[in-house]
Amino acid sequence: MKTDSLGGLRRTHHCNALRAKDEGKEVVLMGWVQRRRDHGGVIFVDLRDREGITQVVFNPHVDAAVHEKAHVLRSEYVIAVRGRVDRRPEGMANPSLDTGEIEVLVLELRILNRAAAPPFVIEDEVDVSETIRLKYRHLDLRRPGLQRNLLARHKAAAAVRNFLNQKGFVDIETPFLTRSTPEGARDYIVPSRVNPGRFYALPQSPQLFKQLLMISGFDRYYQIVRCFRDEDLRADRQPEFTQIDMEMSFVGEEDVMEISEKMLSTVFEAVMGKPLALPFPKISHAEAMDRFGLDRPDTRFGLELCNVSDILSRSEFKLFSKAVQKGGIVKALNAKGCSGFSRKEIDDLTEFVKIYHAKGLAWIKIREKDWQSPIAKYFSEEEKSLLRQRLDMAPGDLVFFVADRPEVANESLGNLRNFLGKKLDLVDESRFDFIWVTHFPLLEYDEAEKRYKALHHPFTAPLEEDIALFDTNPLAVRSRAYDLVLNGSEIGGGSIRNHQRTLQEKLFHILGLSPEACTEKFGFLLSALDAGAPPHGGIAFGFDRLVMLLCREASLREVIAFPKTQKAACLLTRAPSAAGKEQLDELFLSVKTR
């Protein structure tokens, strides 16, 4: 005999749908018991579903049997109730609830499932470790805040799909099981049972496949796609992540930027209720490094850096002058009004910049009549005058200096700038500041491996006017790459690609790949470029990071349903796990322990 666990009831409303205008209606609600309160014989239950909470009332004068049955209810029991919508008594409305003007007088109760006592209270302001939350993620996901975040993620994804579909893009899936290619982060590899000793790699991005799709004639492609990188994790990085992946044929940088801006404006309108101001500002990579020290500048506050190498290149303070003579720079940051910092605070900041390989942090406190600093005595009056003018130094200021290789000076002071922006409450957290960073260097030099590497990836095209520099000064070649930065976080990056085989082979050669290695690793791409490849370019957006910023969260784990820990583990399912001997034998593998 079939049974109906709902007892013939059919839900008529979500728990957040009822208002005073519904007074007198008979409704059916279903959800979880948030809390139960017994007030002098009348039992009140806050009933919760994904939309919100409604107070339901079990009154012995309305139905004694139903009231008696309600005594067993506990937190997280799953119930269905049929009842009548009633206004709350005078003075008993709850303004913190959307349904705070009404309650439901229960006429029928069905207990659909009982629940063990949860390890933590299902509410947003719960004091529980992230380890416990991730172990019981199925319960954590019941919290209203996480449900709001995942619903925002859903709205963002739907907005992306609707927008790109309307703009003529085609959603095409690309393989998860592919081959490992060099010049990226570490791959996750998958053994092949039917090809013993051979391995697939999980894609770090669909880069090569989307270029092949352009060569195939699909001139507008997109995917909201899972990607994988076996790298060290942090709050804004996961081993598996989601990209909005796009590629277009017959376009230049401006075309890609324009369509990206309009797409993001549509997303913000769908999730936040208002579009963005377009177009976004642009800044070259060189200017970003000069002013902010980082290629992902947070433009919500000032506190910009300043290069003072020319002023101090002959300084009697040898740490500065020798750094410049060796090809380094002296970079300064004026923390306006911060001369009251204690010596301990300055020492702490010195330790902070050492994280980014700076050897130290010089400083000067600007007083009314003099400069207070261990290094002030080394500056001539001319140097002081020039520094005062360039750095806009005034009494009460605290100026920091780092002298080192350009990459060290920029990164250390750039991160110090961000730290002080938060510490001094200079950042307007209500703002969403976008900025494009363009004209990145195409290459960087790896001192450890003594070879050039692609700064983005080896398929990025150089600026045409810089191609001649390949033979004389490869590090001076700028790329046709562009990153989109939001509030100091890179949310997207892309480039115009090499669409001619000769240029792609030249770049492979500069990267140290032999002709044999090019054929082995990228022969299929080179062959495809020979088949009539159109000019093309694209971009990929970190969807998790975008949603994290939209929801004003500090961690990706707050916008992913089932995230991994910083050690790439799933505490809910206890993955990764050991493989059995039989499974390993099928794959012709053995495990070597350390």
Side-chain angles (χ1 to χ4, degrees):
M1 179 185 297
K2 293 184 178 180
T3 59
D4 184 353
S5 63
L6 301 181
L9 297 179
R10 180 172 294 173
R11 181 166 63 181
T12 61
H13 295 78
H14 280 289
C15 288
N16 199 42
L18 300 173
R19 299 293 186 270
K21 62 181 176 57
D22 298 306
E23 183 178 9
K25 282 185 180 178
E26 186 172 290
V27 298
V28 175
L29 305 178
M30 298 180 184
W32 288 262
V33 174
Q34 177 72 18
R35 60 180 59 86
R36 168 187 169 275
R37 305 180 302 279
D38 195 331
H39 290 177
V42 177
I43 297 174
F44 297 88
V45 166
D46 290 340
L47 186 62
R48 183 194 75 243
D49 63 15
R50 84 170 196 203
E51 299 293 334
I53 288 176
T54 293
Q55 178 173 281
V56 300
V57 182
F58 299 88
N59 191 321
H61 301 298
V62 174
D63 191 305
V66 169
H67 173 264
E68 182 62 28
K69 189 176 181 180
H71 277 93
V72 304
L73 297 181
R74 297 292 182 270
S75 293
E76 300 311 307
Y77 274 37
V78 189
I79 65 173
V81 297
R82 179 176 61 83
R84 185 180 69 248
V85 179
D86 202 7
R87 280 183 179 269
R88 294 198 188 193
E90 186 72 28
M92 299 299 289
N94 183 350
S96 64
L97 288 180
D98 292 337
T99 58
E101 291 185 74
I102 60 93
E103 57 191 14
V104 174
L105 299 178
V106 179
L107 306 173
E108 182 180 352
L109 167 65
R110 295 280 298 181
I111 299 176
L112 305 177
N113 211 345
R114 296 171 184 259
F120 51 84
V121 179
I122 310 299
E123 57 187 28
D124 284 340
E125 303 303 322
V126 60
D127 184 15
V128 63
S129 72
E130 187 177 59
T131 299
I132 296 297
R133 287 178 52 209
L134 293 179
K135 182 178 180 180
Y136 297 97
R137 189 64 165 182
H138 55 292
L139 296 177
D140 196 35
L141 285 170
R142 292 181 185 174
R143 295 192 301 116
L146 271 181
Q147 295 206 338
R148 283 193 298 271
N149 289 351
L150 291 184
L151 288 171
R153 184 183 177 113
H154 161 72
K155 289 179 182 178
V160 167
R161 292 186 188 281
N162 290 339
F163 174 84
L164 294 177
N165 291 343
Q166 291 170 10
K167 295 298 181 180
F169 284 77
V170 182
D171 184 355
I172 304 177
E173 294 177 331
T174 53
F176 275 177
L177 296 176
T178 182
R179 67 169 297 143
S180 182
T181 56
E183 302 295 333
R186 189 182 297 110
D187 285 325
Y188 279 101
I189 61 172
V190 181
S192 171
R193 179 185 59 81
V194 296
N195 298 283
R198 300 283 180 168
F199 296 85
Y200 301 103
L202 299 180
Q204 297 181 33
S205 82
Q207 180 62 46
L208 295 179
F209 288 109
K210 66 184 181 182
Q211 289 191 242
L212 292 172
L213 285 169
M214 296 302 101
I215 297 169
S216 300
F218 292 94
D219 60 358
R220 287 199 166 194
Y221 141 92
Y222 85 96
Q223 261 189 112
I224 299 180
V225 60
R226 297 294 273 174
C227 303
F228 308 86
R229 289 181 184 174
D230 186 7
E231 57 187 352
D232 295 334
L233 306 182
R234 57 191 185 211
D236 64 348
R237 183 180 287 170
Q238 283 277 299
E240 50 183 329
F241 56 97
T242 303
Q243 280 186 185
I244 306 169
D245 204 51
M246 303 160 56
E247 196 80 4
M248 293 170 276
S249 294
F250 308 109
V251 293
E253 291 90 328
E254 293 295 331
D255 301 300
V256 179
M257 292 180 187
E258 182 182 6
I259 201 78
S260 298
E261 291 175 353
K262 290 178 179 177
M263 179 190 74
L264 289 171
S265 183
T266 301
V267 169
F268 269 70
E269 187 167 13
V271 177
M272 306 294 290
K274 58 181 180 180
L276 299 168
L278 303 180
F280 300 152
K282 299 178 181 67
I283 187 174
S284 72
H285 177 267
E287 184 181 351
M289 299 304 290
D290 184 54
R291 292 171 56 191
F292 304 102
L294 303 171
D295 58 13
R296 52 183 197 285
D298 189 340
T299 54
R300 291 174 295 174
F301 65 103
L303 210 65
E304 295 186 16
L305 313 186
C306 192
N307 192 329
V308 293
S309 304
D310 58 327
I311 297 174
L312 300 174
S313 62
R314 299 182 182 277
S315 172
E316 289 187 16
F317 188 51
K318 299 304 180 185
L319 189 100
F320 286 176
S321 55
K322 284 184 177 180
V324 177
Q325 290 163 17
K326 290 180 180 179
I329 59 174
V330 183
K331 212 71 177 278
L333 182 157
N334 185 357
K336 303 291 289 183
C338 292
S339 64
F341 275 25
S342 69
R343 186 56 186 265
K344 182 182 184 307
E345 286 178 298
I346 294 175
D347 289 344
D348 288 343
L349 296 179
T350 302
E351 292 303 311
F352 175 83
V353 298
K354 288 180 180 178
I355 297 171
Y356 304 98
H357 309 294
K359 298 178 184 69
L361 185 68
W363 55 272
I364 299 173
K365 290 184 177 182
I366 311 303
R367 306 298 192 191
E368 284 288 348
K369 296 183 179 180
D370 61 359
W371 292 4
Q372 180 188 342
S373 169
I375 66 171
K377 60 186 178 183
Y378 296 104
F379 295 148
S380 67
E381 288 305 315
E382 181 184 8
E383 288 170 340
K384 286 183 177 180
S385 176
L386 291 171
L387 287 172
R388 190 178 294 113
Q389 182 178 358
R390 184 171 296 180
L391 296 172
D392 188 28
M393 295 161 66
D397 293 348
L398 173 59
V399 181
F400 295 107
F401 300 86
V402 171
D404 214 309
R405 291 178 290 117
E407 58 269 28
V408 172
N410 281 324
E411 186 178 16
S412 56
L413 273 186
N415 281 287
L416 178 62
R417 172 184 177 268
N418 285 346
F419 179 85
L420 290 175
K422 300 281 188 181
K423 177 181 175 67
L424 302 174
D425 199 24
L426 301 177
V427 181
D428 183 351
E429 298 290 355
S430 68
R431 284 170 53 179
F432 288 100
D433 274 22
F434 291 85
I435 188 167
W436 288 103
V437 181
T438 66
H439 294 170
F440 283 78
L442 182 69
L443 304 167
E444 58 185 347
Y445 190 74
D446 190 311
E447 289 289 348
E449 297 186 19
K450 302 299 181 186
R451 70 180 185 93
Y452 295 109
K453 286 188 171 182
L455 189 66
H456 279 78
H457 56 62
F459 317 108
T460 299
L463 284 175
E464 289 187 20
E465 60 263 37
D466 288 357
I467 291 177
L469 296 172
F470 270 136
D471 298 324
T472 58
N473 188 7
L475 291 178
V477 178
R478 293 166 297 167
S479 71
R480 298 181 70 180
Y482 32 82
D483 281 358
L484 184 59
V485 178
L486 170 57
N487 293 354
S489 291
E490 178 202 333
I491 62 166
S495 65
I496 302 302
R497 325 300 188 185
N498 294 313
H499 71 282
Q500 296 174 332
R501 177 169 181 157
T502 53
L503 185 56
Q504 185 63 71
E505 286 183 321
K506 186 177 185 68
L507 183 53
F508 283 155
H509 174 71
I510 290 171
L511 295 174
L513 290 173
S514 66
E516 294 76 21
C518 289
T519 300
E520 166 64 19
K521 299 287 187 182
F522 301 109
F524 64 95
L525 174 66
L526 295 173
S527 176
L529 292 177
D530 254 351
H536 60 281
I539 192 167
F541 289 95
F543 186 59
D544 309 296
R545 190 174 295 176
L546 174 62
V547 176
M548 178 185 80
L549 294 170
L550 271 168
C551 295
R552 304 187 190 280
E553 296 285 0
S555 170
L556 289 180
R557 291 187 284 274
E558 298 303 310
V559 297
I560 297 174
F562 300 103
K564 305 291 191 295
T565 67
Q566 284 191 303
K567 292 193 174 183
C570 175
L571 300 183
L572 177 68
T573 62
R574 294 183 291 178
S577 59
K581 184 178 184 305
E582 182 178 342
Q583 191 173 23
L584 291 173
D585 288 344
E586 280 187 330
L587 297 169
F588 302 92
L589 294 177
S590 62
V591 175
K592 180 180 178 181
T593 57
R594 291 178 180 173

